[in-house]
Amino acid sequence: MTVTTVKTAPIDGQVPGTSGLRKKTHIFMQPHYLENFIQSIWTAIGGVRGKTLVLGGDGRYFNDRAAQVILRMAAAGGAAKVIVGQSALLSTPAASHLIRLYKTDGGIIMSASHNPGGPDEDFGVKFNMPNGGPAPEPVTDRMVAAAQSISEYHIIEAQDVDLARLGTTTLGAMQIEVVDPVADYAELMEKLFDFKAIKALLDSGFTLRFDAMHAVTGPYATAILEGALGAAPGSVVNAVPSPDFGGGHPDPNPIWAKDLMDVMMGPDAPDFGAASDGDGDRNMIVGRGCYVGPSDSLAVLAANAHFAPAYSAGLKGVARSMPTSRALDRVAAKRGLECYETPTGWKFFGNLLDDGRITLCGEESAGTGSDHVREKDGLWAVLLWLNILARTGKSVAQMMTDHWAEFGRNFYSRHDYEAVDGARAKEMLDRLRGRLATLPGTDILGAVVDSADEFAYDDPVDGSRSTGQGLRVTFQGGGRIVYRLSGTGTVGATLRVYIEDVSDDPATFTKDTQLALNDMIDRAETLAGIAEFTGRTAPDVRT
Ligand code: G1P
Ligand code: ZN
């Protein structure tokens, strides 16, 4: 085995964001780009010598080529072993599970999550730690430092490894084990949930449709929902992963999963609909004629998780990212659970899960998960919903009606302004930041500001502090507006405005969300001057 040392130089912009390094695929395919970043990961983790890693991705364009490069660089760095999903496929939660199950030194996940794939679309690389969770900031900071000072990387010359064939092989002195991407994950799900009850529900004629959006969850959903649980063949649609996700945008929300929404709102809707994203960590839940917002879904799961065997003893505590609606807080308050508020991004839940402070957590961006892995998990959320429906005998619509009757309703929407001028968006936030201290007590279009600040998080486990995590303004009566810039976008800046208002009046519970939030939406504009700074009078996406 010859190790080649290749001279290189730092490349601008190699800075991981909310979830790993994400760039246009053609940028990743530039000479040295991927190699520089992988070498920087090795540096950040203290070298890869003697280590065992997990490797897999969501199957998007360049996934297969990148896997071969990463394997050759792992071999050059002296790694002992890499466990690879067959055809270099692994959903993000399955990768997290394999890291934990086989007690590896971490893993590399190739994915740009819900962003489209293809030569002109997005690619991404993320390192997960031995606990199965995304690398925390100190580690990603070391990656950045290494990438900014890199002068060479090491790679071996070798033919491609046959990743289509299951079993063990070698690359130089390094062992490679190609594993079925689904088997271990499916086994874990069977341990967590009451498969017998779900099977009985499906046998009784309960129908479902799972839209895998041509992404990685296809094989997982087919094996578990149709295979193990007996859903009718064809219940999983768009089930074959494709490098460009069928030309679609594999983001499970009512806009990008419109086909599913149309079916679920139509006359012959199945009882239950769900979708997942490119790498299988997000989920969308929709009942017959009833869409469930992600923040509501998180609250419902927290209130009813005890119906699943894994959570029958109750939850240790719960957590949500700061911009996520506070529907979860209402459940926590009533059930006497500790509720943590973290910055955006799954990596902030890791310490709370590891420390046994929380069992369940989630984000408004369609991510929910528990302590079974250290990533959000789309199919897990679907199975927990099915488990709860099976045990309660309720429809999705009934679940929501009952939930709001017990806890009240938090109307919630996120407005995204995509590809706006980054400098202008920052100016807008700077101006608002400068006014925060004077806002409490002032009246904004008929509502009095209760508090206004920039969110910072002190991790209660390791004491680390994360600042600059979003501007938030709360109003007397329970309303709230949050502003922040996306850390995952690859073009310009994306401004996210999170709008929330609460109601305890059952007569309002079925109101259209955007209508219910009308006044708060106007306040969001008045406070920040979104149109003035971005030139946009309406968001590109409302979820
Ligand atoms: C977005 C979501 C965030 C999620 C992340 C990765 O990050 O808002 O909740 O954790 O994708 O899936 P953002 O682009 O807002 O930084
Ligand atoms: Zn994802």
Side-chain angles (χ1 to χ4, degrees):
M1 180 186 81
T2 357
V3 175
T4 310
T5 297
V6 181
K7 293 283 170 220
T8 186
I11 302 174
D12 265 358
Q14 292 211 329
V15 180
T18 314
S19 187
L21 182 66
R22 246 178 238 185
K23 296 287 170 197
K24 287 288 166 204
T25 311
H26 59 81
I27 293 183
F28 259 106
M29 293 174 77
Q30 279 170 17
H32 308 319
Y33 197 95
L34 175 67
E35 292 85 347
N36 272 19
F37 191 64
I38 297 300
Q39 190 70 48
S40 303
I41 292 178
W42 298 163
T43 305
I45 62 171
V48 75
R49 183 159 302 282
K51 289 185 174 158
T52 297
L53 298 179
V54 165
L55 173 66
D58 61 17
R60 68 181 57 227
Y61 186 83
F62 192 50
N63 185 95
D64 49 352
R65 304 300 316 141
Q68 298 290 345
V69 169
I70 294 168
L71 287 173
R72 291 206 294 272
M73 289 188 67
K81 180 175 175 180
V82 181
I83 300 170
V84 196
Q86 190 176 25
S87 305
L89 289 180
L90 280 178
S91 78
T92 290
S96 181
H97 177 51
L98 289 185
I99 292 170
R100 296 166 64 76
L101 182 67
Y102 296 110
K103 299 189 170 39
T104 72
D105 300 291
I108 289 186
I109 300 173
M110 301 168 290
S111 166
S113 188
H114 49 285
N115 296 6
D120 298 321
E121 299 296 351
D122 293 356
F123 191 77
V125 168
K126 178 164 99 164
F127 184 80
N128 280 34
M129 306 295 284
N131 75 345
E137 278 177 353
V139 180
T140 54
D141 287 349
R142 289 206 294 272
M143 289 175 199
V144 175
Q148 281 169 359
S149 60
I150 192 166
S151 59
E152 58 183 42
Y153 61 81
H154 312 288
I155 189 161
I156 63 161
E157 280 169 34
Q159 295 298 319
D160 281 1
V161 180
D162 182 3
L163 297 177
R165 216 178 46 219
L166 295 174
T168 304
T169 161
T170 56
L171 184 61
M174 183 178 85
Q175 223 192 342
I176 294 176
E177 192 182 344
V178 180
V179 299
D180 177 341
V182 177
D184 285 319
Y185 177 84
E187 206 173 292
L188 173 66
M189 292 301 116
E190 199 160 350
K191 272 191 209 133
L192 299 177
F193 299 115
D194 189 345
F195 269 33
K196 234 172 105 189
I198 303 175
K199 217 171 172 339
L201 178 73
L202 291 167
D203 286 347
S204 75
F206 182 96
T207 50
L208 66 83
R209 183 181 178 94
F210 180 96
D211 192 336
M213 303 186 86
H214 306 278
V216 78
T217 37
Y220 294 84
T222 306
I224 296 171
L225 297 174
E226 293 185 14
L229 291 167
S235 298
V236 180
V237 298
N238 300 323
V240 179
S242 82
D244 69 345
F245 306 118
H249 194 138
D251 195 357
N253 63 41
I255 295 136
W256 298 117
K258 187 169 179 305
D259 291 354
L260 177 65
M261 283 299 283
D262 289 347
V263 170
M264 296 308 295
M265 300 301 147
D268 303 315
D271 295 291
F272 183 82
S276 190
D277 72 332
D279 62 330
D281 57 358
R282 294 186 173 200
N283 73 89
M284 177 172 101
I285 303 294
V286 48
R288 179 183 293 140
C290 170
Y291 167 69
V292 182
S295 293
D296 273 345
S297 176
L298 173 62
V300 168
L301 294 183
N304 297 284
H306 57 274
F307 287 111
Y311 314 107
S312 59
L315 306 176
K316 292 171 184 159
V318 293
R320 61 165 171 81
S321 66
M322 184 275 282
T324 302
S325 104
R326 292 160 301 167
L328 180 67
D329 305 40
R330 293 187 177 219
V331 173
K334 270 210 163 174
R335 300 283 157 86
L337 294 169
E338 189 75 42
C339 181
Y340 295 85
E341 186 175 44
T342 58
T344 298
W346 207 260
K347 58 191 173 202
F348 293 100
F349 294 130
N351 278 348
L352 299 174
L353 292 163
D354 284 351
D355 202 45
R357 290 172 185 246
I358 61 167
T359 310
L360 203 124
C361 48
E363 296 192 276
E364 53 68 38
S365 51
T368 13
S370 87
D371 57 3
H372 69 291
V373 288
R374 292 295 180 273
E375 289 279 4
K376 53 192 178 239
D377 188 344
L379 207 43
W380 168 91
V382 170
L383 291 168
L384 181 50
W385 261 96
L386 288 173
N387 190 145
I388 292 167
L389 296 179
R391 290 287 305 280
T392 58
K394 291 183 190 175
S395 68
V396 173
Q398 191 63 49
M399 282 300 298
M400 295 320 299
T401 308
D402 292 355
H403 186 88
W404 293 328
E406 185 177 358
F407 299 100
R409 176 152 194 200
N410 290 52
F411 287 100
Y412 183 83
S413 180
R414 186 178 94 189
H415 288 192
D416 290 338
Y417 299 79
E418 292 174 348
V420 299
D421 181 334
R424 291 290 284 158
K426 282 202 185 79
E427 275 172 43
M428 186 194 94
L429 295 180
D430 287 346
R431 188 179 74 171
L432 181 59
R433 187 180 291 109
R435 291 176 52 214
L436 290 175
T438 62
L439 283 178
T442 59
D443 181 294
I444 310 289
L445 304 180
V448 177
V449 174
D450 193 34
S451 67
D453 66 358
E454 180 162 34
F455 182 56
Y457 177 65
D458 292 297
D459 187 306
V461 180
D462 66 16
S464 62
R465 185 171 175 80
S466 303
T467 56
Q469 297 295 333
L471 307 183
R472 53 181 183 177
V473 179
T474 66
F475 294 87
Q476 288 174 12
R480 186 181 69 156
I481 302 166
V482 174
Y483 305 83
R484 63 179 282 279
L485 294 180
S486 158
T488 58
T490 52
V491 183
T494 295
L495 170 69
R496 302 201 195 283
V497 184
Y498 309 81
I499 301 149
E500 179 178 5
D501 211 352
V502 298
S503 171
D504 290 312
D505 174 8
T508 67
F509 288 166
T510 50
K511 222 173 159 176
D512 172 76
T513 300
Q514 299 300 323
L515 282 180
L517 291 173
N518 232 342
D519 293 347
M520 272 302 156
I521 292 169
D522 288 345
R523 287 183 192 110
E525 168 61 40
T526 303
L527 271 170
I530 301 167
E532 180 195 336
F533 282 95
T534 65
R536 306 281 176 81
T537 50
D540 298 283
V541 181
R542 294 181 181 89
T543 51

